[in-house]
Amino acid sequence: DAADAVTYPLTHATGEVMNRNLLIITLNGLSYADLTLEDTPQLMALKQQYHSYEQCYLPYQAVRDNAFAATWGVPVSYRDSFAAAGLYPVTVEEMHHQDFAIHLVTDDLSIVSRQDLQHFLGSTRLSELDRVTSTADAVKAGQDWLKTLPAGRPFALSLSVNPLNRINLSADARRALLKETDSAVGAFIDTLRGSAFMDHTLIIITSLAGNPDRRESGTLYPREQQHVPLIVIWPEGYQRSVSSGELCSTFDLVPTVGSEILGLSSNPADYSVGNSLFNLQERQFFVTTAERSLLLIAPRSITVYRRDGRSFIENYGVHMAVEPNLRNLMLAMRMLNRFKQ
């Protein structure tokens, strides 16, 4: 039975009340290369003022799969097994234990399932959900919800907007949406700066899908598309005007929330394949999958291991055959299968 084949978390995770909040803004359809001073002046300013991670990559191409990685911190191959076992993410469980108010604002429910929403909210009741039609409406809904919170209650608010993730947009239409999105996000952060929330809130601005126009035909992993912005505003003013070049991914969000917001004492490896962004170390690669292949995403290369035993390095659609690196392959398999019994 699939439910009996997993152990998650590997050890019991105990949290500590830190009196901190969480705000995640995902601008889906945005790639790192889309950021320019002309089209995204607000996001560029936030990059310069706060902590920008310059080498952040998505593990998957679908929003739903990356949302799973961002919610659980583990590969999407565990989705069915975790659901069958009735599990919830460690961080969501701890948020409910600490009486967090959890809320989601989105303009597109078609990209996730009801089960995904339940795992994110930690409840079968979907009342903590706002459906909107634009980025500006998402920002207003988030602002309005924050005003309803009792003083001192911790919260986790997620704004998920998808106008930029539409395919077949004209260049002018995409640019207009990009400027609109940039302006709305900048205005939201400006309102937070004048609130009591700012000093006690971890704010993460990123994307769960790259620009669809940057898809490279014939590639398993379109690197330019999958390279996304990651801007972090740390509580208490830590790490301002910092630029980090270490490789990171969506898998790193869960251990960051676990350690910096919820005070989880257990090793992040017990509930995630990622690492905390606060003390991010150099890593050789992170592991993902695509089309029944194992992919090792490194800072300057993508190594692909096929099930038929072939291995090659992919570089913008060009495949160069290589001998398998057995040490890296074994390490990758251990990471991928960490929660399997």
Side-chain angles (χ1 to χ4, degrees), residues 30-284:
L30 180 71
S31 292
Y32 186 92
D34 296 329
L35 300 184
T36 66
L37 285 172
E38 185 174 1
D39 293 340
T40 58
Q42 300 299 321
L43 289 171
M44 291 295 285
L46 292 172
K47 270 173 54 67
Q48 295 170 357
Q49 293 166 3
Y50 297 104
H51 196 164
S52 176
Y53 293 82
E54 313 302 340
Q55 295 296 323
C56 180
Y57 290 87
L58 296 169
Y60 307 105
Q61 293 183 48
V63 173
R64 186 189 179 206
D65 293 343
N66 288 319
F68 181 89
T71 303
W72 290 87
V74 303
V76 73
S77 56
Y78 285 99
R79 178 158 48 207
D80 292 342
S81 297
F82 283 5
L87 298 172
Y88 280 87
V90 161
T91 48
V92 174
E93 293 269 20
E94 183 59 28
M95 283 181 186
H96 280 271
H97 181 71
Q98 295 188 22
D99 194 33
F100 269 65
I102 304 176
H103 198 73
L104 171 65
V105 180
T106 183
D107 59 359
D108 190 352
L109 285 175
S110 67
I111 55 178
V112 294
S113 70
R114 184 180 180 88
Q115 182 184 87
D116 297 332
L117 294 172
Q118 291 173 358
H119 286 153
F120 175 82
L121 298 171
S123 171
T124 57
R125 295 181 299 104
L126 301 185
S127 57
E128 288 297 341
L129 172 68
D130 277 329
R131 173 73 186 275
V132 295
T133 58
S134 70
T135 304
D137 287 346
V139 165
K140 184 178 186 306
Q143 292 171 330
D144 290 345
W145 181 77
L146 289 174
K147 294 174 183 176
T148 69
L149 291 177
R153 186 178 183 188
F155 66 83
L157 171 62
S158 176
L159 306 185
S160 173
V161 294
N162 298 273
L164 295 169
N165 204 31
R166 303 173 195 164
I167 60 174
N168 300 323
L169 282 173
S170 69
D172 288 344
R174 172 168 290 280
R175 191 175 186 190
L177 285 171
L178 186 59
K179 290 183 176 182
E180 176 187 313
T181 298
D182 178 73
S183 178
V185 172
F188 190 24
I189 300 302
D190 280 344
T191 62
L192 290 176
R193 286 194 183 104
S195 74
F197 298 128
M198 193 69 177
D199 284 343
H200 307 288
T201 302
L202 171 64
I203 303 174
I204 297 172
I205 304 170
T206 189
S207 172
L208 296 182
N211 182 339
D213 291 344
R214 297 186 183 277
R215 179 81 170 96
E216 301 152 22
S217 61
T219 61
L220 283 172
Y221 189 88
R223 191 179 191 95
E224 184 178 276
Q225 181 189 38
Q226 299 294 92
H227 184 196
V228 295
L230 175 59
I231 302 168
V232 178
I233 303 176
W234 297 102
E236 286 89 45
Y238 293 139
Q239 305 273 40
R240 292 197 172 181
S241 299
V242 174
S243 175
S244 292
E246 294 86 0
L247 178 68
C248 59
S249 79
T250 313
F251 292 128
D252 298 322
L253 300 185
V254 167
T256 303
V257 172
S259 62
E260 301 305 318
I261 300 301
L262 302 172
L264 292 181
S265 58
S266 55
N267 189 327
D270 289 343
Y271 57 90
S272 171
V273 297
N275 300 310
S276 172
L277 293 167
F278 191 76
N279 294 303
L280 195 61
Q281 305 297 314
E282 289 280 356
R283 50 156 66 100
Q284 194 173 354

Side-chain angles (χ1 to χ4, degrees), residues 261-325:
I261 300 301
L262 302 172
L264 292 181
S265 58
S266 55
N267 189 327
D270 289 343
Y271 57 90
S272 171
V273 297
N275 300 310
S276 172
L277 293 167
F278 191 76
N279 294 303
L280 195 61
Q281 305 297 314
E282 289 280 356
R283 50 156 66 100
Q284 194 173 354
F285 54 80
F286 73 86
V287 182
T288 185
T289 54
E291 297 182 15
R292 300 173 65 83
S293 298
L294 183 69
L295 278 61
L296 277 57
I297 312 300
R300 293 179 178 82
S301 66
I302 301 162
T303 306
V304 180
Y305 291 95
R306 292 283 200 183
R307 287 198 173 187
D308 61 10
R310 292 185 298 132
S311 56
F312 56 86
I313 292 176
E314 178 178 89
N315 186 18
Y316 295 99
V318 177
H319 294 172
M320 182 179 70
V322 294
E323 289 294 320
N325 183 319

